[in-house]
Amino acid sequence: MSNARAAHLTRRGILAAGGALGLGAVLAACGDDDAKNGGSAGRTGAAKSGPWTFKDDRGTTVKLDKVPANIVAFTGVAAALWDYGVQVKGVFGPTTTKDGKPDVQAGDMDVSKVTVLGNEWGKLDVEKYVALQPELLATTTFDTAGTLWSVPEESKDKIAKLAPSVAISVFDRQLTQPLQRMWELAESLGADMKAKKVTDAKAAFDKAAARLRAAAKAKPEIKVLAGSASPELFYVSGTNLSVDLEYFKALGVNFVEPSEEAKKATGGWFESLSWENVDKYPADVIIMDDRSSTIQPADITEGTWKQLPAVKAGQVIARSPEPILSYDKCTPLLDNLAEAIENAKKVS
């Protein structure tokens, strides 16, 4: 492992960054090709009873005597499994807002039916975890090392001894790959992937992808910037590592790209700008990080932000840097961006 731990990055900066970052996302120093290519080899489905086997994107194969019932998952993973009819027992990660409503990362999941082990990134109460008698921990990974997303660094070894884990990679690949892997995980856990709700969602996703491709082709001059806001800094994401941006770019979307030199300090994910320099990259449409750890566009008070042409034209929409990996939840991401490009005026 190199020294690219970017210790100079503040935790707030890591969490707020336009590219979904975590403890492992800026390591990017070692890994294996099997995880890089989506890790589809070795996947095994299972009936609702009997032995269960699943090979994850780290190349780790988990074998159990039966399909796990006591599942604990990162909130976004739990939300994706919920969409496929698989309910987990416990979650960790942003789950509810201050008023008790589901966080954006909880999707449609009934948060009253899960035990919340930690309601923010990087928090997981080990005692509560033990009490759930976990049989499986499921999360994502944002680096080549297979670092388990949102599992606390200080207690990861203790957590690892309590139950096996599986991780779906969302690092340096297009969105369709982790979507397929989450589909396979849900299917292995007993989800009915032939249910009309599921097949309709997949068809809607394909339709939305075609729409975005057509919109990008019709208006190639429209420049899209992926941004994120914190009190001190504005972050501009590059497209080379994030699953959503890589996919949108493959569909033809014309993205603003931060300079490679500027991204080096963050492992290639994003560039940090002072609010005075927020106009460094001209853009026609801005897609803004919708996570609760960031400042939302309506709450940005910086005058420099308000003077941006895209902001003045009302051409700002939400982006989910940690998309819920179900076709149902990813379809609106495509449709919303397609609509924004279709309606956008050239202002940059």
Side-chain angles (χ1 to χ4, degrees):
M1 197 70 64
S2 75
N3 291 325
R5 291 183 180 272
H8 59 287
L9 290 176
T10 64
R11 183 173 179 277
R12 174 182 286 168
I14 289 173
L15 285 176
L21 301 179
L23 295 173
V26 291
L27 303 183
C30 59
D32 63 65
D33 292 336
D34 184 60
K36 182 96 171 179
N37 66 21
S40 58
R43 60 182 180 270
T44 304
K48 291 189 177 182
S49 61
W52 182 82
T53 301
F54 189 84
K55 185 175 181 180
D56 75 358
D57 291 344
R58 300 170 298 174
T60 299
T61 299
V62 177
K63 297 181 179 180
L64 300 174
D65 293 336
K66 60 183 180 65
V67 178
N70 291 352
I71 303 169
V72 171
F74 175 69
T75 303
V77 172
L81 292 175
W82 176 277
D83 284 350
Y84 291 128
V86 177
Q87 184 173 331
V88 306
K89 293 293 181 67
V91 297
F92 57 100
T95 306
T96 59
T97 58
K98 292 180 180 179
D99 57 5
K101 295 180 180 180
D103 185 90
V104 65
Q105 291 186 257
D108 292 331
M109 180 171 57
D110 186 342
V111 295
S112 70
K113 293 185 177 181
V114 295
T115 299
V116 180
L117 305 181
N119 197 30
E120 60 182 283
W121 187 89
K123 299 294 183 181
L124 196 164
D125 188 310
V126 178
E127 290 187 6
K128 287 185 178 181
Y129 185 58
V130 172
L132 288 179
Q133 298 181 305
E135 296 171 319
L136 182 72
L137 183 148
T139 186
T140 52
T141 182
F142 279 86
D143 61 25
T144 56
T147 305
L148 296 178
W149 184 242
S150 198
V151 171
E153 181 72 17
E154 65 275 12
S155 55
K156 65 178 183 180
D157 293 338
K158 183 182 296 186
I159 290 168
K161 293 177 182 178
L162 297 171
S165 63
V166 294
I168 301 299
S169 179
V170 284
F171 176 72
D172 195 15
R173 64 202 60 206
Q174 293 182 25
L175 180 61
T176 47
Q177 288 178 277
L179 273 172
Q180 178 62 27
R181 292 295 282 142
M182 189 64 72
W183 174 292
E184 292 161 4
L185 177 60
E187 185 174 38
S188 78
L189 294 170
D192 180 5
M193 310 313 282
K194 294 182 180 180
K196 188 176 186 302
K197 176 184 176 182
V198 174
T199 57
D200 284 355
K202 176 63 168 63
F205 177 88
D206 293 339
K207 182 178 179 181
R211 178 186 179 185
L212 180 55
R213 186 188 298 276
K217 184 177 181 180
K219 287 190 171 183
E221 73 280 5
I222 297 299
K223 293 182 179 180
V224 178
L225 182 147
S228 185
S230 76
E232 298 86 6
L233 298 168
F234 182 78
Y235 306 91
V236 179
S237 284
T239 62
N240 292 335
L241 300 178
S242 299
V243 291
D244 61 329
L245 301 185
E246 284 206 16
Y247 184 53
F248 300 159
K249 181 172 64 175
L251 292 175
V253 176
N254 179 12
F255 277 103
V256 170
E257 294 285 357
S259 68
E260 291 302 316
E261 186 65 28
K263 291 190 296 181
K264 283 183 180 179
T266 64
W269 286 90
F270 61 93
E271 177 177 357
S272 304
L273 298 175
S274 66
W275 284 103
E276 289 76 15
N277 295 315
V278 72
D279 61 351
K280 179 178 179 179
Y281 297 106
D284 303 297
V285 172
I286 301 176
I287 56 176
M288 288 292 289
D289 189 337
D290 68 356
R291 291 173 295 180
S292 55
S293 58
T294 68
I295 300 177
Q296 297 307 298
D299 299 320
I300 298 175
T301 59
E302 299 290 342
T304 48
W305 163 261
K306 295 179 180 180
Q307 292 304 309
L308 292 177
V311 175
K312 293 172 72 174
Q315 296 176 175
V316 179
I317 65 169
R319 173 204 170 203
S320 299
E322 293 181 60
I324 295 172
L325 296 171
S326 72
Y327 289 104
D328 180 69
K329 294 301 178 292
C330 287
T331 295
L333 308 182
L334 295 165
D335 275 330
N336 292 343
L337 182 53
E339 182 179 13
I341 294 173
E342 289 164 355
N343 297 331
K345 297 178 180 178
K346 183 68 179 175
V347 294
S348 66

